[in-house]
Amino acid sequence: MTSREPGRVIVLGVTAAGKIVGYAAGGGESVSSEIASGAWGSIGVFLDLSVESPSEPSAKEVLLERLRLIHERSWVGSVKLGPDGVPRLYAARNGGGYTLEALLGISPNGRAEPDFMGWEVKQYAVSNFRSYRAKSAVTLMTPEPTGGVYQDEGPEAFIRRFGYPDRNGRENRLNFGGIYDCLRTPNHLTGLRMVLSGFDNGTGQITDMNGAIMLLDPTDTVAASWTFKGLLAHWNRKHAKAAYVPSLYRTPPPEYAFGGQVLTCEETDFLLFLRAVERGQVYLDPALKLEGSEAGAISIKRRNQFRVSHSILPTLYHRHETVDLTD
């Protein structure tokens, strides 16, 4: 068997103990033929070879059944799982995601890993369960910049240099916000604009693996950047399989209900993500603030979120469907 034999494949797996094992098969072997059959889904450039038993429900089936039961519960109190795994009342307005996670038994964490059996689960607010029209954009991911002033000099220096006084008049506070995409002119409050370097939209291919999404000031100084390498790893880990669940909110007390139509998306591709960035469909919506106390202490809130309209979500995947949980 030669390294360039047509049809040659290598299969990689991870044992329960964390050991990586591999098997190389020639083009004429049954393993290669099975993989070439096209029956397997993909995660980025890799095929996902499931080891689930045909007699057992798949991870997707388990998730959809759990979401069906949650839908049938109707209104539930807003909660968030604590470090001990016990749900506690959560009164803040952003409790939809925490409540759904708690109902699924998912502990909140900042790791870029899927939520439930390999699936990323996100809720989005709607006005009713008839149209299922999203009330706001969906947050795809919140990675920290890996380059520019933000990385080299730190978030505090970044906010002091490019931020602006709080627009509601709160003293000792600087903000950095606004909407940034590849089609907009520089933001009038910060002077920064977004550019995409190293991607050719005509061919839909990366031309420079050192490319990045960047925020530039009027002198083309890189204020913040996110490299393709970092974003690629984050995107393929977090969004290989995703389910988007609609929700309603009411108060008092704060409660949520989760809808019976779920959008499932599979077989993502980082190139599709970059194409949406280039078209201005995926945008940066940061919410950073720096506050100083009378005692001179400094506190910084960091949130760099990439967002997209709910209607654009299917274009970020090769396969999607809307599942009616009541059918």
Side-chain angles (χ1 to χ4, degrees):
M1 182 171 60
T2 65
S3 62
R4 296 186 181 277
E5 178 184 342
R8 181 175 184 262
V9 300
I10 183 168
V11 180
L12 298 174
V14 182
T15 69
K19 183 180 180 180
I20 298 176
V21 295
Y23 176 79
E29 296 187 37
S30 58
V31 171
S32 302
S33 299
E34 173 66 20
I35 291 175
S37 68
W40 305 98
S42 65
I43 301 178
V45 298
F46 298 102
L47 295 181
D48 180 17
L49 308 182
S50 173
V51 294
E52 295 167 341
S53 169
S55 62
E56 297 179 356
S58 66
K60 181 178 182 179
E61 291 170 334
V62 172
L63 172 62
L64 292 176
E65 175 61 14
R66 292 284 297 275
L67 293 177
R68 183 186 67 80
L69 295 174
I70 291 172
H71 166 64
E72 291 181 348
R73 290 184 62 175
S74 189
W75 293 99
V76 295
S78 178
V79 294
K80 179 179 180 180
L81 283 185
D84 56 1
V86 176
R88 294 178 173 82
L89 178 66
Y90 187 81
R93 184 61 183 85
N94 65 333
Y98 290 133
T99 301
L100 182 58
E101 288 178 346
L103 294 173
L104 289 169
I106 302 168
S107 298
N109 64 74
R111 294 180 296 112
E113 303 292 342
D115 293 325
F116 185 90
M117 299 178 68
W119 282 79
E120 169 78 352
V121 183
K122 286 184 172 291
Q123 67 86 41
Y124 65 97
V126 297
S127 298
N128 58 70
F129 286 155
R130 295 184 300 275
S131 66
Y132 286 97
R133 184 175 180 179
K135 295 174 66 176
S136 61
V138 175
T139 299
L140 295 172
M141 53 183 176
T142 57
E144 283 285 277
T146 52
V149 174
Y150 191 106
Q151 173 66 23
D152 297 338
E153 302 180 29
E156 180 178 347
F158 172 87
I159 298 174
R160 291 191 183 279
R161 183 168 172 178
F162 302 109
Y164 47 86
D166 183 78
R167 303 186 75 190
N168 292 321
R170 284 169 286 201
E171 296 183 0
N172 299 319
R173 173 168 165 172
L174 293 175
N175 295 333
F176 181 87
I179 302 297
Y180 303 82
D181 66 45
C182 289
L183 302 182
R184 292 174 186 260
T185 57
N187 184 278
H188 69 286
L189 292 173
T190 67
L192 301 185
R193 70 187 192 281
M194 176 186 283
V195 299
L196 179 61
S197 172
F199 178 76
D200 185 342
N201 187 57
T203 62
Q205 298 297 316
I206 292 174
T207 58
D208 181 3
M209 273 309 299
N210 293 317
I213 299 173
M214 300 184 291
L215 293 181
L216 303 181
D217 75 2
T219 66
D220 287 343
T221 296
V222 180
S225 65
W226 295 259
T227 64
F228 289 170
K229 294 177 182 178
L231 289 174
L232 173 62
H234 189 112
W235 179 258
N236 281 346
R237 268 201 316 272
K238 192 74 170 173
H239 287 276
K241 302 174 182 178
Y244 298 90
V245 184
S247 69
L248 294 176
Y249 172 79
R250 70 182 184 186
T251 191
E255 294 180 316
Y256 291 91
F258 297 94
Q261 289 191 9
V262 176
L263 174 66
T264 63
C265 299
E266 300 175 72
E267 298 182 17
T268 188
D269 189 327
F270 185 61
L271 296 178
L272 296 179
F273 171 80
L274 291 181
R275 179 167 291 180
V277 172
E278 197 275 340
R279 292 173 175 172
Q281 296 170 330
V282 170
Y283 58 90
L284 179 69
D285 182 13
L288 287 75
K289 67 178 181 180
L290 183 153
E291 292 183 290
S293 68
E294 294 183 358
I298 297 294
S299 65
I300 299 175
K301 173 189 175 183
R302 296 181 286 182
R303 186 169 178 81
N304 295 283
Q305 50 191 5
F306 285 93
R307 311 189 77 193
V308 69
S309 168
H310 186 269
S311 63
I312 301 297
L313 280 173
T315 69
L316 303 179
Y317 302 83
H318 289 297
R319 186 154 57 96
H320 70 275
E321 66 174 328
T322 298
V323 180
D324 187 347
L325 301 177
T326 64
D327 186 2

